[in-house]
Amino acid sequence: MDHASTVIIGGGVLGCSVAYHLAKRGVEDVLLLERQDLATAASCQAAGLMFQISSKPAVDVLNRRTFKVLPELEKITGEQLDFKAVGTLRVAENLESKASLERLYNRAVSEGIAAQKVNAGWRSKHLPWLRVKEDALTVHFSDEGYIDPYRLTYAYAKSAKSFGAQIKLGVNVSAIKAINGVVVGVETDQGFISCEKVIVAAGSWSNFLTLPLGCALPMIPTRSHFWIAAPESYFSDQQPMMVHADAGAYTRPEVGGLVLGVQEQSSRTFDYSDLPNDITSFAVTEEGGEWDALIEAEQRVSSFFPKLEGARFESYMAGLSAYTPDGHFLLGETKAVKGMFVAAGCCGSGVMASGGIGDSLAELMTEDKSSYDLNAFDPNRFGQVDPSSKEFQLLCAQARARKAK
Ligand SMILES: Cc1cc2nc3c(=O)[nH]c(=O)nc-3n(C[C@H](O)[C@H](O)[C@H](O)COP(=O)(O)OP(=O)(O)OC[C@H]3O[C@@H](n4cnc5c(N)ncnc54)[C@H](O)[C@@H]3O)c2cc1C
């Protein structure tokens, strides 16, 4: 193939969602190029949490589109995605976090999102291992849940193909080519492909492609990780997910066990230029280091999970998410090159926002405007940045550390 109307670079959940939404809108000759297999990087590592409401209303709109897209994909593919609608219990203990949870609750009610303040009796019935302060504010958002991100990525890809998109695996894009500031094609290890539009959905590697064209994306590959505790009698798969604002931690059920994620005081960042093509050969956490963050958070975690000391942690998952200084995605056309769009800077939320990201970008590309409010996600909003500078890395690490799931 030597021509496509639109080339998407990257076969993670974002690239596949964009491919699906473009093809569904009738865009012909959509070609997605992935140098490995689909969902081999961040998109197979995510905890898969999906929220309807957060402190960022513009993000919520994108997330809610993902909830709507799930039955659509199931219908097209004929396969169940097995979304686990267990709900989320949000916990706030100190004054400030109680006030923000109260605001979240009020917004949920006004926007028609199921939310219920729950008491100690509810908590001990549904999360018997959870300990919170007597005067804690706890709110249950019953329509939220989690999904297998790998299956979701494949469902987007299969649905994209059913609308005529092509997906080619094992093709490395070495460069995006532009003439007079306008995209003309991509150079790959299997030859040149001309195209009118390119979407960079290459996750943590995106800067490799945009920087040579003078467009530094304001994002840094940042470590995200979680641990999985072995099954115990007090865990169950029907239990809700739990987000603890003050402890900076979240949990969700995992086949009789428990996924536990904690925010680090200072998140680990990487220079994009140090990343190998294949992330599986890269130590995001060095041998033995998987316990450091858990030890650092021991006090915070044992405050709500008193059984921490006896917990049997059996697995650890670490990967890279690209964080921006304000924790918002990078979504839209770059100023530097006409026809070069990005769906990147996923800030650890790309799975839950994938439906909205794909839909809004496809709309923007086909209609030159979007019914979503994408201002907060403008990829050009930070002007010129140096993604290799320590100062810039620190800004992104701080955005990661501030994030409450
Ligand atoms: C531990 C962890 C937990 C997480 N938990 C959650 C969660 O609970 N909920 C949530 O919503 N999100 C979560 N995330 C974030 C989520 O995984 C990401 O936001 C999402 O997967 C990003 O998808 P992507 O398509 O942008 O990137 P990726 O999945 O990284 O895909 C990028 C792809 O581009 C390909 N590529 C790169 N360069 C090229 C090139 N030059 N040519 C061809 N192909 C190329 C790569 O091979 C890769 O397959 C988590 C992430 C981690 C690491």
Side-chain angles (χ1 to χ4, degrees):
M1 181 177 234
D2 56 9
H3 179 78
S5 70
T6 311
V7 169
I8 300 165
I9 309 170
V13 72
L14 296 190
C16 293
S17 173
V18 176
Y20 165 62
H21 284 94
L22 277 174
K24 189 181 151 212
R25 280 178 168 266
V27 179
E28 291 179 358
D29 294 333
V30 172
L31 173 66
L32 184 149
L33 301 174
E34 163 58 53
R35 66 181 162 208
Q36 316 228 40
D37 211 337
L38 297 178
T40 39
S43 299
C44 67
Q45 298 168 317
L49 274 56
M50 288 183 43
F51 301 130
Q52 301 257 13
I53 190 138
S54 71
S55 56
K56 296 174 177 164
V59 172
D60 296 344
V61 179
L62 300 176
N63 291 353
R64 288 176 205 169
R65 165 66 193 153
T66 312
F67 283 85
K68 290 216 174 85
V69 94
L70 302 183
E72 213 172 286
L73 299 177
E74 287 179 338
K75 197 166 167 210
I76 296 167
T77 60
E79 288 161 22
Q80 293 303 303
L81 281 163
D82 201 19
F83 171 70
K84 310 279 191 197
V86 291
T88 312
L89 183 74
R90 288 190 180 262
V91 178
E93 293 186 328
N94 76 30
L95 273 182
E96 207 185 315
S97 53
K98 278 199 270 199
S100 3
L101 183 52
E102 188 73 44
R103 280 195 297 276
L104 209 61
Y105 168 77
N106 288 331
R107 196 156 63 77
V109 171
S110 72
E111 291 175 7
I113 301 296
Q116 185 196 0
K117 291 184 182 175
V118 295
N119 60 20
W122 190 99
R123 293 193 298 265
S124 59
K125 180 171 173 211
H126 294 277
L127 283 167
W129 51 265
L130 177 71
R131 183 174 69 189
V132 301
K133 286 187 183 157
E134 230 167 77
D135 63 347
L137 174 60
T138 51
V139 183
H140 184 231
F141 298 89
S142 58
D143 291 340
E144 300 183 329
Y146 62 96
I147 196 159
D148 179 341
Y150 185 84
R151 278 167 80 170
L152 178 60
T153 306
Y154 271 83
Y156 280 126
K158 198 168 171 185
S159 304
K161 282 196 210 164
S162 78
F163 281 103
Q166 286 206 51
I167 296 186
K168 294 231 178 292
L169 305 177
V171 182
N172 182 53
V173 177
S174 50
I176 297 169
K177 294 288 177 194
I179 296 179
N180 297 330
V182 181
V183 162
V184 292
V186 295
E187 198 61 67
T188 80
D189 55 359
Q190 295 175 28
F192 181 74
I193 301 170
S194 63
C195 64
E196 289 86 53
K197 287 175 183 162
V198 165
I199 295 137
V200 182
S204 289
W205 294 268
S206 297
N207 262 317
F208 276 109
L209 295 158
T210 60
L211 255 169
L213 294 166
C215 174
L217 297 178
M219 56 176 234
I220 298 292
T222 306
R223 177 171 75 177
S224 284
H225 54 184
F226 58 79
W227 296 261
I228 303 177
E232 302 287 356
S233 57
Y234 41 83
F235 298 145
S236 112
D237 287 347
Q238 280 68 52
Q239 290 177 355
M241 313 188 294
M242 193 279 309
V243 177
H244 200 302
D246 307 287
Y250 71 89
T251 66
R252 72 151 169 81
E254 172 73 8
V255 279
L258 192 77
V259 164
L260 168 68
V262 291
Q263 274 164 245
E264 298 171 84
Q265 304 290 357
S266 171
S267 297
R268 192 160 180 207
T269 55
F270 298 85
D271 192 324
Y272 80 94
S273 62
D274 291 336
L275 301 184
N277 286 2
D278 178 3
I279 199 66
T280 54
S281 65
F282 186 73
V284 174
T285 301
E286 55 288 306
E287 190 88 27
E290 63 267 35
W291 303 115
D292 295 348
L294 199 52
I295 291 166
E296 175 199 291
E298 192 178 350
Q299 229 183 339
R300 285 184 280 142
V301 175
S302 53
S303 76
F304 68 82
F305 181 36
K307 295 185 188 294
L308 175 67
E309 205 176 303
R312 297 171 294 132
F313 287 100
E314 287 186 330
S315 318
Y316 170 73
M317 171 67 82
L320 296 177
S321 264
Y323 272 79
T324 59
D326 57 5
H328 272 305
F329 308 126
L330 304 175
L331 201 50
E333 191 172 18
T334 62
K335 245 190 205 145
V337 182
K338 197 165 165 39
M340 182 165 81
F341 293 77
V342 286
C346 70
C347 295
S349 309
V351 175
M352 64 183 104
S354 58
I357 289 179
D359 191 32
S360 60
L361 204 55
E363 189 185 30
L364 186 70
M365 293 177 71
T366 50
E367 297 182 18
D368 225 16
K369 59 180 173 22
S370 178
S371 53
Y372 293 80
D373 179 2
L374 299 180
N375 282 330
F377 312 123
D378 183 351
N380 312 292
R381 66 189 181 275
F382 292 100
Q384 281 297 329
V385 298
D386 174 6
S388 288
S389 92
K390 290 283 167 226
E391 293 74 25
F392 188 73
Q393 289 187 19
L394 184 63
L395 287 179
C396 298
Q398 286 166 344
R400 168 76 187 98
R402 277 195 306 272
K403 182 185 176 197
K405 262 273 178 187

